[in-house]
Amino acid sequence: MKFGKRLKQQIEQSLPGWRDEYLSYKELKKLVRLISSGPRVLNGPARAEAEFMYLLNNEIEKFNAFFMEQEEDFIIRHKELAERIEKVIDRWGPNGSEPSEEEYREEMGKMRRDIVNFHGEMVLLMSYSNINYTGLAKILKKYDKRTGGVLRLAFIQNVLQQPFFTTDLISKLVKECETTIDLVFPPSKSTGIFQSSSSVAVAGQGIFRNTLAALLTMQEIRRGSSTYSHFSLPPLNLPDFDVIHSLQLGLLPIQIP
């Protein structure tokens, strides 16, 4: 699949409020064509060159602002979710101050929905980082090839230091979220206490599908190939990726079409 089509697909499968935050790939491609058109267009290449560099730098600023805002929000929500779970267990759990199987089941069902959605949003942000980095590398490769320039190496070295590229903290939060899911919401056995009601399942359905789509996109863009280089992200092996295991442990009893 061509990258432009893959990016469009990823944008469509993302959260509505995120869709304007992705790389302006088509606009950058148009500018590369203008830059490489030579003197056939009066002042075209020089003007396009300036617009291209402006847009590139503006895109980096856009990625960083969006990514850091989401990251900060995730840190706060992660703490709030942990506190909510603790309160529910302390109040309505078997050893709580007001033990109630009904209240406990209802509140933990809500928590289960919220934590699965939260987990999914964090995976989507990791995918956001991956696909925007890949898009930058590809458009810079086109630029160097068509213009004879050597912009890609220096620009990518700078990108590698940018906040939007650094997903260590989000990866850590994802792991902690998965640990919580494994400990607090294990797959239902004989008791069936965490068999989701239809309302919980439907609430998580969209983010669940989008998370799986993001994982598949991450796998595709990070798969090694004959064109693999030091500009490429390392391959992602989904069967060994903890996120996919957590999503497949019966957290949401739905069928993916």
Side-chain angles (χ1 to χ4, degrees):
M1 184 188 297
K2 289 187 176 181
F3 179 78
K5 186 175 180 180
R6 184 185 300 136
L7 175 61
K8 181 181 178 183
Q9 185 179 74
Q10 182 69 20
I11 292 172
E12 290 172 349
Q13 292 170 337
S14 186
L15 300 175
W18 292 25
R19 291 173 185 169
D20 293 333
E21 305 297 336
Y22 284 84
L23 181 68
S24 302
Y25 189 70
K26 286 179 67 176
E27 188 174 348
L28 287 166
K29 276 182 65 177
K30 289 178 183 177
L31 290 171
V32 169
R33 284 197 294 270
L34 280 173
I35 294 167
S36 60
S37 65
R40 288 173 293 178
V41 180
L42 184 62
N43 294 326
R47 181 180 301 170
E49 178 86 34
E51 290 180 8
F52 180 77
M53 293 306 302
Y54 175 82
L55 182 55
L56 268 182
N57 289 307
N58 193 60
E59 292 292 271
I60 297 296
E61 291 180 8
K62 178 179 75 176
F63 299 158
N64 285 338
F66 176 75
F67 188 89
M68 289 189 293
E69 180 181 9
Q70 295 302 315
E71 190 176 61
E72 183 178 354
D73 179 59
F74 289 159
I75 292 170
I76 295 170
R77 287 169 62 189
H78 181 267
K79 182 179 179 181
E80 289 176 344
L81 281 168
E83 291 174 349
R84 283 174 59 195
I85 291 171
E86 186 176 354
K87 287 179 180 178
V88 169
I89 293 173
D90 289 345
R91 183 173 181 182
W92 291 301
N95 299 314
S97 59
E98 302 174 37
S100 169
E101 183 177 340
E102 182 179 353
E103 291 287 351
Y104 186 63
R105 185 196 305 271
E106 179 67 24
E107 292 303 316
M108 290 303 271
K110 294 176 183 177
M111 288 301 310
R112 181 168 171 270
R113 175 201 61 198
D114 291 347
I115 200 166
V116 169
N117 284 347
F118 177 58
H119 179 276
E121 287 182 43
M122 290 192 291
V123 173
L124 288 177
L125 189 64
M126 292 171 65
S127 177
Y128 171 87
S129 171
N130 277 210
I131 202 162
N132 283 312
Y133 167 81
T134 301
L136 286 171
K138 286 185 175 295
I139 201 66
L140 289 165
K141 181 180 179 180
K142 287 182 183 292
Y143 174 89
D144 283 0
K145 182 178 179 180
R146 295 194 179 189
T147 67
V150 288
L151 179 61
R152 181 166 62 147
L153 179 60
F155 200 91
I156 289 297
Q157 286 177 337
N158 176 54
V159 168
L160 297 179
Q161 308 302 317
Q162 298 301 314
F164 88 90
F165 182 79
T166 308
T167 59
D168 292 351
L169 177 56
I170 295 299
S171 296
K172 180 175 179 289
L173 292 178
V174 165
K175 294 286 186 183
E176 290 179 5
C177 189
E178 290 172 4
T179 298
T180 300
I181 290 171
D182 290 340
L183 292 175
V184 184
F185 308 104
S188 302
K189 295 182 181 178
S190 58
T191 62
I193 190 169
F194 292 123
Q195 290 291 341
S196 291
S197 64
S198 59
S199 62
V200 172
V202 169
Q205 209 167 24
I207 193 70
F208 184 82
R209 281 199 300 266
N210 292 349
T211 301
L212 289 177
L215 284 166
L216 292 173
T217 299
M218 287 166 69
Q219 182 189 42
E220 188 176 354
I221 66 178
R222 294 174 68 164
R223 183 183 293 124
S225 68
S226 59
T227 58
Y228 188 79
S229 72
H230 61 281
F231 293 108
S232 304
L233 291 162
L236 180 69
N237 186 5
L238 284 186
D240 296 325
F241 197 37
D242 289 347
V243 172
I244 199 71
H245 287 303
S246 292
L247 289 172
Q248 290 176 330
L249 283 175
L251 296 177
L252 289 173
I254 61 176
Q255 295 295 319
I256 305 300

